[in-house]
Amino acid sequence: MDRTRTVSRFFISVFLISFPAVSAAEQPNIVFVLADDLGWNDVGYHNPDMKTPNLDKLSANGVRLENYYVQPLCTPSRNQLMTGRYQIHTGMQHQIIWPCQPYCVPLGEKLLPELMKEAGYSTYMVGKWHLGMYKRECLPTRRGFDRYFGYLTGSEDYYTHEHCAQIPGEKLTRCALDLRDGEEVASNYTGVYSTHLFSQKAIEMVAQRAPAKPLFLFMSFQSVHSPLQVPERYLDPYSSIQDHNRKLYAGMVSAMDEAVGNITQAFKENGLWDNTVLIFSTDNGGQTLFGGNNWPLRGRKWSLWEGGIRGVGFVSSPLLERPGSVSRELIHISDWLPTLVGLAGGSTRGTKPLDGFNVWNAISKGFASPRLELLHNIDPLYEDIAPCPGKSPQLTLAEEVRAKLGFNVSIHAAIRSSNWKLLTGYPGCDLWFPPPASNDLDFERYPWDPLKPVMLFDIENDPEEKHEVSNDFPNIVDYLLSRLQQYQSGSVPIIYPDADPKCDPGPDGAWGPWA
Ligand SMILES: *[C@@H]1O[C@H](CO)[C@@H](O)[C@H](O)[C@H]1NC(C)=O
Ligand SMILES: *[C@@H]1O[C@H](CO)[C@@H](O)[C@H](O)[C@H]1NC(C)=O
Ligand SMILES: *[C@@H]1O[C@H](CO)[C@@H](O)[C@H](O)[C@H]1NC(C)=O
């Protein structure tokens, strides 16, 4: 071996040891925009009745993710985004965190912002947290975010920023402020519409960023969750919509669209856009009870039908290698953690075993997704708390059939493998809800098979879940049941504690840590 080569080897190894895989100049800024309860049929590029020029344009110049999945509820989706792990592995497979429940994402989980920080990023968050706050250690500022402005519970008034909740044991509904700047209560924003407030805070953070560091911004909108509130001017394009809820909802979508446009503009004005990756995602399907819509998909928020979990999502960035394309690769919200840490040149060592995959090459280059299977959830305690029109279906199965199948098919669960999706138990409200219009039926019943404890759909050919085919493919059914059984045996016990009356912030307090 000649001397030059030895010397250059020496320099290469020194270089590899002393620098992260991507040098600081190359580390992209990352802005993750999460919408709340935005349905499949609630964005302009899926439904021309919705006016979302910014989302349409950003996604048209980016990559639209059309085979992209989220969880059917707020806390679970955020939990998987932050941990890269399925709910069965964090104990959070059941429902959401209610304001008085004393738990949060387990403190032993390493969260996405902590990993970004280790990779050298400034980590900022604006908006909805909903990952637990009963003690200070659970707050976003203690879990990896350098800066935070937002609210900690699941929903609130868009102007007063008050959340109302039942205090356990008391005959009392407490309405109290839920808005914080860092860990301090922010009490002087009454009357400021949250979509304006949050985008303004995000824009301020971009302007005040640490100049030497790349930026990770998690913009977690309140929009477009209920209550349905929006400044009048956003209703102008929707005078033809008769349904009152739908009209307000559409206005809220347009306000959020404008906010995304403003935030993108701030990245451009600060000279950051050329080296920025923007991800847009909803957290779950639309809630048809509050103006949302997932047509033509079946079901809605709270259900494991496609309407609950197939999410609106796209990536927009000058760094994409195939901008202007549509991706039909299987991608899940748990995939963002390894994907974004990979883009940052960081490391996921130090997390517990991940369920997510790095899908950047699938998105940017159009490669096949490394994800072949997706556990949607297993929740033995499932109940649908929102009324579903019509009769609630009865699912019963003889004990011996259940035993033969290995997996207890009374349990609410679903799994996807390539084109196949298997559902067991009651998946949640099972109707098809067309976009609301005056005097129309507000739900649709196809002449479909009655619900069964085990159902199989070919999602690629039948995304609307109209043709149940378990009888035609018994081997696929057996295989997917055995996969569910394997996941079930590796799941951790559900954390879902009783509400704690000490959560009461009192007449003048704010929701926040009490333990
Ligand atoms: C609210 O108070 C904070 C801290 O005192 C201040 O920085 C902020 O500008 C105030 N906002 C408004 C809208 O008055
Ligand atoms: C976007 O920016 C414009 C111009 O500053 C402003 O009028 C509008 O209220 C902003 N919209 C939102 C949703 O923040
Ligand atoms: C099967 O699951 C259902 C729903 O979680 C539960 O009520 C039932 O006890 C389970 N049966 C067995 C045999 O474990």
Side-chain angles (χ1 to χ4, degrees):
M1 194 181 292
D2 73 48
R3 199 165 162 265
T4 7
R5 209 183 275 171
T6 320
V7 170
S8 61
R9 262 229 201 132
F10 171 76
F11 279 112
I12 286 167
S13 53
V14 167
F15 183 81
L16 288 177
I17 290 162
S18 21
F19 295 96
V22 179
S23 74
E26 289 170 341
Q27 286 177 300
N29 304 295
I30 294 172
V31 49
F32 196 102
V33 179
L34 190 66
D36 199 354
D37 284 11
L38 182 73
W40 181 258
N41 197 32
D42 296 339
V43 64
Y45 63 87
H46 285 166
N47 175 0
D49 291 344
M50 303 300 278
K51 307 300 172 203
T52 58
N54 292 295
L55 299 180
D56 296 356
K57 189 164 165 227
L58 282 166
S59 63
N61 295 330
V63 177
R64 288 180 183 160
L65 308 177
E66 297 292 277
N67 192 11
Y68 169 60
Y69 287 85
V70 291
Q71 294 304 108
L73 284 173
C74 304
T75 298
S77 270
R78 290 152 206 273
N79 177 20
Q80 296 210 21
L81 173 63
M82 288 289 131
T83 63
R85 283 153 50 76
Y86 291 150
Q87 286 150 259
I88 57 161
H89 293 142
T90 57
M92 297 181 67
Q93 50 273 61
H94 185 59
Q95 274 201 14
I96 61 169
I97 301 176
W98 298 97
C100 290
Q101 281 183 300
Y103 77 119
C104 64
V105 177
L107 296 174
E109 298 288 331
K110 199 159 191 177
L111 303 192
L112 173 60
E114 298 179 75
L115 298 166
M116 297 302 281
K117 214 165 145 142
E118 283 175 6
Y121 279 66
S122 292
T123 55
Y124 302 158
M125 173 173 177
V126 177
K128 173 168 165 172
W129 175 241
H130 209 190
L131 290 174
M133 50 74 167
Y134 78 108
K135 55 181 182 182
R136 287 203 174 268
E137 289 78 0
C138 299
L139 297 178
T141 37
R142 308 281 174 115
R143 303 215 66 178
F145 285 107
D146 297 333
R147 290 188 67 182
Y148 172 71
F149 185 97
Y151 64 110
L152 301 171
T153 64
S155 65
E156 62 182 14
D157 188 286
Y158 280 78
Y159 294 97
T160 65
H161 313 293
E162 284 193 354
H163 177 88
C164 300
Q166 203 76 31
I167 304 301
E170 319 271 324
K171 285 197 178 61
L172 173 72
T173 299
R174 176 70 71 199
C175 292
L177 185 66
D178 180 8
L179 194 65
R180 279 175 197 256
D181 191 345
E183 295 182 10
E184 300 306 314
V185 174
S187 53
N188 56 352
Y189 296 96
T190 308
V192 187
Y193 186 60
S194 89
T195 315
H196 294 139
L197 177 58
F198 292 156
S199 55
Q200 198 50 50
K201 289 291 171 189
I203 289 165
E204 275 173 35
M205 287 186 191
V206 172
Q208 297 164 359
R209 74 197 179 280
K213 288 182 171 190
L215 174 61
F216 171 56
L217 171 66
F218 179 27
M219 175 67 237
S220 176
F221 277 109
Q222 178 177 4
S223 321
V224 289
H225 197 290
S226 64
L228 300 177
Q229 296 173 301
V230 66
E232 201 66 29
R233 69 182 165 101
Y234 294 103
L235 301 178
D236 291 347
Y238 299 112
S239 55
S240 64
I241 298 183
Q242 301 294 309
D243 184 273
H244 184 63
N245 277 357
R246 184 66 176 164
K247 181 185 286 198
L248 292 176
Y249 180 92
M252 293 163 74
V253 173
S254 287
M256 178 181 68
D257 177 81
E258 187 181 280
V260 173
N262 286 1
I263 292 167
T264 312
Q265 188 58 30
F267 274 80
K268 291 181 178 158
E269 283 168 7
N270 283 273
L272 302 174
W273 182 250
D274 286 346
N275 189 34
T276 292
V277 175
L278 179 144
I279 297 112
F280 180 89
S281 172
T282 188
D283 66 339
N284 47 247
Q287 177 50 279
T288 57
L289 295 164
F290 300 109
N293 194 257
N294 308 298
W295 184 260
L297 302 179
R298 188 176 189 177
R300 63 185 184 200
K301 180 183 180 182
W302 282 91
S303 82
L304 287 174
W305 302 105
E306 292 293 289
I309 56 176
R310 192 184 276 231
V312 171
F314 66 81
V315 177
S316 198
S317 171
L319 303 174
L320 288 165
E321 292 188 31
R322 289 173 16 122
S325 58
V326 172
S327 169
R328 302 196 188 282
E329 292 300 315
L330 186 62
I331 292 172
H332 182 236
I333 193 161
S334 64
D335 297 333
W336 294 120
L337 182 143
T339 303
L340 302 186
V341 173
L343 274 175
S347 165
T348 55
R349 286 190 299 272
T351 66
K352 293 184 175 174
L354 296 178
D355 295 305
F357 294 86
N358 185 335
V359 291
W360 183 250
N361 285 340
I363 294 170
S364 178
K365 300 182 180 164
F367 288 6
S369 173
R371 175 179 284 286
L372 304 174
E373 182 182 270
L374 169 50
L375 177 70
H376 289 306
N377 200 17
I378 303 175
D379 177 7
L381 302 180
Y382 179 78
E383 53 178 327
D384 191 352
I385 63 170
C388 182
K391 264 191 291 183
S392 74
Q394 296 298 308
L395 296 170
T396 49
L397 196 68
E399 206 59 48
E400 63 272 22
V401 180
R402 203 181 270 161
K404 208 173 80 192
L405 293 170
F407 182 71
N408 175 353
V409 296
S410 300
I411 295 176
H412 167 91
I415 186 168
R416 171 81 177 266
S417 183
S418 64
N419 56 318
W420 299 109
K421 176 180 176 186
L422 182 101
L423 299 118
T424 64
Y426 177 51
C429 192
D430 63 310
L431 305 172
W432 291 264
F433 296 89
S438 67
N439 306 323
D440 266 0
L441 273 185
D442 62 359
F443 66 89
E444 196 82 31
R445 281 197 187 280
Y446 291 120
W448 86 104
D449 303 326
L451 293 184
K452 298 197 282 185
V454 176
M455 290 177 279
L456 183 72
F457 295 93
D458 177 351
I459 294 298
E460 231 150 79
N461 292 309
D462 179 25
E464 298 167 26
E465 296 168 295
K466 286 179 178 166
H467 309 288
E468 198 284 302
V469 295
S470 60
N471 287 337
D472 302 330
F473 299 95
N475 293 341
I476 307 278
V477 170
D478 284 355
Y479 170 70
L480 291 175
L481 284 171
S482 75
R483 293 296 298 145
L484 280 179
Q485 180 55 33
Q486 281 166 29
Y487 278 116
Q488 174 69 344
S489 60
S491 69
V492 302
I494 292 177
I495 311 168
Y496 196 70
D498 288 342
D500 179 354
K502 292 202 287 294
C503 67
D504 186 0
D508 305 312
W511 294 105
W514 69 85

